[in-house]
Amino acid sequence: MSEDPLGDKPNETLRELNERIVSDPDEVYETLISIDSIDDFDDALALDVIGLLVDASGDTSKEDGINHALDLAEELLDRDLPPGHRSRLHYFLGNAYSHLRRLNAADSSTWWWENDDLEQEIYHFRMALDPNGIEEIRDIEACKIYTNLGNALSEVGRVVEAIRCWNHALEIDPSFAQAKGQKGIGFTSYARAHYDKGHSATFLRAAYEQLDEAVSADGLFPPMKEYFEGVQQHIADQFKPGVLDEEMEFEEYSLGDSDEEKKYRQWCLEQILFLNPLNDIGPNSIAAKDILHLGSVSGEESSKIVSCVGLYNQMKQEYVSARYLLYEGLHNDEPHFSDKDVRLENTLDYPVYSFNAEKVRIAMRMAYSLFDKIASFIQYYFELSHIPTHNLNFGNVWYKSQGRNKLAPLFDGHENWALRGLFWLSKDLKFFSEMYVEASMDPGAKELRDTRNELEHGYLKLHEPMWAGPVDESRIQDDLAMSLYRNDFEGLSIKSLRKARSALIYLSLAIQHEERVKKEDLDEDGILAPVHLGRWEDEWKR
């Protein structure tokens, strides 16, 4: 290993290179590519070398430089890095795989479904957001991580989760222009996918506002600013003059009759849990209704239409019921009469036994049961037969066999953005199979998988966090149980419900895309006979 490329004062040399990366990225690349190893560099210097090499190689489209940076990063990952350094390293790795993805996809169709570079990109950005590490890095770096993760998720159709990422960046820095602009791009994509023209117009107006704020801010790279301005102008061309100059104001809608209903609906709005895409714009009362549905579904046989609509109805009902059970379990702190005179022994580890806690458990079970039901819907709607029904799940419905080694021909390259989003959501949930846990894009997948399995098949024991200061973990260990603190389990339950909401939204948008394509592909004499279904009225829900 030689430090010659950086001279006797490597930190000063690196600062100079950093100042020249915009004006002469080729020089920076040529200097850093010659560093064979980082063994003799301290952690901070090694990080700076890797980050700068990734940027210079990406700017100059040098694949060998990106791969060399990945090799150096693997060396650094073997060290016992503090959380902040580890988060920064994963951020650089995410950027490296993002550059690789763009280089490798330059001459190919953008409608790939499988992409190893993108999986690594998403995984490393998520790893960079480790709670311990994110606290130790600068706000600007945290904003970039959240923004880049949102961009990657939106790329594959997971716009609901992408919006959450951009919102996190803007919570840290409300003026962060990159997140504002990318959020505007995400809203534009959402509008294109939505079947409701009124909602689409609302998303486009919200997108215009975000883009307008972004391009008016300082610090955007010229190519990015030009891109945002182009999308903004495209939106403006779709509206009458003056409409977009008016500030968006949502009319106040009732949140219910009782104080309790109003509190519940306000909580759902703030947690973004309504089955209503408008809730992704913000916690406005107009979004406090679960109005999402399949829209118009066609078929040669009316029985198929009824089956599809009926299954989606059932999934919606299970979702909203799980959501309310979760709300009650989180907010009720009074003992329930059904728990009276039920003798339970005190195991001295502050256990949680109550009807309220069971509501949260039930909510999580119900949320996770929806994913396999979605798999059944997909199999039925697309008339798939490659996986036996009794072995079908959300993880394998997309593949030719249970081995998940090759996509089913129907999906490979299929131009349906929301359906691809649903597929990429399934990549988070690979904990349905033990062998796929390590391959999950979600670093928290194993904890979710283990928690769900114990909830369904084992002994999940919850504990109240009753101690102030450091906790002796041995006090909550049980040889037979998986132990979790109550608040940690509640957080996992909310996360599960959010994933279920995203899945139901993507399914609705995906089916509507398929229905539009069916109509466009009809011969002139072709007919898709509609089946008119009325609403199931609220007073019938007993």
Side-chain angles (χ1 to χ4, degrees), residues 90-329:
H90 281 294
Y91 167 56
F92 296 149
L93 282 165
N95 287 338
Y97 281 108
S98 179
H99 291 315
L100 278 181
R101 169 169 63 89
R102 288 177 171 81
L103 288 174
N104 293 334
D107 299 322
S108 63
S109 168
T110 58
W111 278 107
W112 37 257
W113 277 47
E114 297 277 22
N115 189 298
D116 293 338
D117 292 331
L118 184 51
E119 286 197 28
Q120 290 293 323
E121 179 183 347
I122 292 172
Y123 172 79
H124 284 292
F125 284 142
R126 282 173 160 171
M127 287 293 289
L129 294 171
D130 175 78
N132 295 321
I134 202 75
E135 292 179 355
E136 296 186 14
I137 66 176
R138 295 177 299 154
D139 283 353
I140 184 65
E141 290 177 310
C143 287
K144 289 179 179 179
I145 295 168
Y146 276 118
T147 301
N148 289 359
L149 175 57
N151 299 348
L153 291 171
S154 182
E155 179 81 16
V156 295
R158 296 184 61 180
V159 68
V160 174
E161 293 99 334
I163 291 169
R164 180 171 289 277
C165 291
W166 296 320
N167 284 342
H168 280 311
L170 293 170
E171 286 168 7
I172 297 171
D173 181 0
S175 65
F176 191 62
Q178 292 179 36
K180 283 182 179 291
Q182 293 295 348
K183 187 176 174 182
I185 301 298
F187 281 169
T188 305
S189 300
Y190 213 151
R192 286 200 303 265
H194 206 313
Y195 59 82
D196 185 290
K197 292 183 179 180
H199 281 199
S200 292
T202 302
F203 269 104
L204 288 175
R205 291 191 63 186
Y208 186 89
E209 283 192 1
Q210 293 293 320
L211 290 164
D212 193 51
E213 292 180 17
V215 299
S216 301
D218 297 326
L220 275 181
F221 290 116
M224 182 178 293
K225 183 174 183 179
E226 184 179 342
Y227 172 55
F228 289 162
E229 287 174 336
V231 177
Q232 185 186 19
Q233 184 58 51
H234 179 70
I235 294 172
D237 292 341
Q238 300 178 55
F239 286 86
K240 293 180 180 179
V243 172
L244 293 173
D245 295 329
E246 302 171 0
E247 185 176 349
M248 281 186 67
E249 293 184 3
F250 291 104
E251 182 181 346
E252 287 296 320
Y253 288 78
S254 171
L255 293 182
D257 300 323
S258 66
D259 289 342
E260 187 56 39
E261 183 182 358
K262 292 174 183 176
K263 289 178 184 177
Y264 165 64
R265 292 188 176 276
Q266 186 62 45
W267 176 81
C268 292
L269 284 172
E270 292 170 357
Q271 294 296 324
I272 314 180
L273 290 175
F274 274 108
L275 287 174
N276 186 333
L278 293 182
N279 199 184
D280 291 305
I281 294 179
N284 307 298
S285 60
I286 192 175
K289 295 181 180 180
D290 297 291
I291 61 170
L292 186 76
H293 58 91
L294 281 182
S296 60
V297 179
S298 61
E300 294 181 1
E301 298 179 3
S302 60
S303 59
K304 181 171 183 176
I305 300 171
V306 170
S307 294
C308 288
V309 174
L311 177 52
Y312 197 81
N313 279 350
Q314 183 61 38
M315 289 190 290
K316 275 190 68 174
Q317 182 62 58
E318 290 180 20
Y319 170 83
V320 299
S321 298
R323 185 181 65 196
Y324 184 68
L325 286 170
L326 177 61
Y327 171 80
E328 279 201 323

Side-chain angles (χ1 to χ4, degrees), residues 379-391:
Q379 184 185 57
Y380 180 71
Y381 180 86
F382 289 102
E383 300 178 358
L384 305 172
S385 59
H386 50 276
I387 305 289
T389 301
H390 64 277
N391 289 327

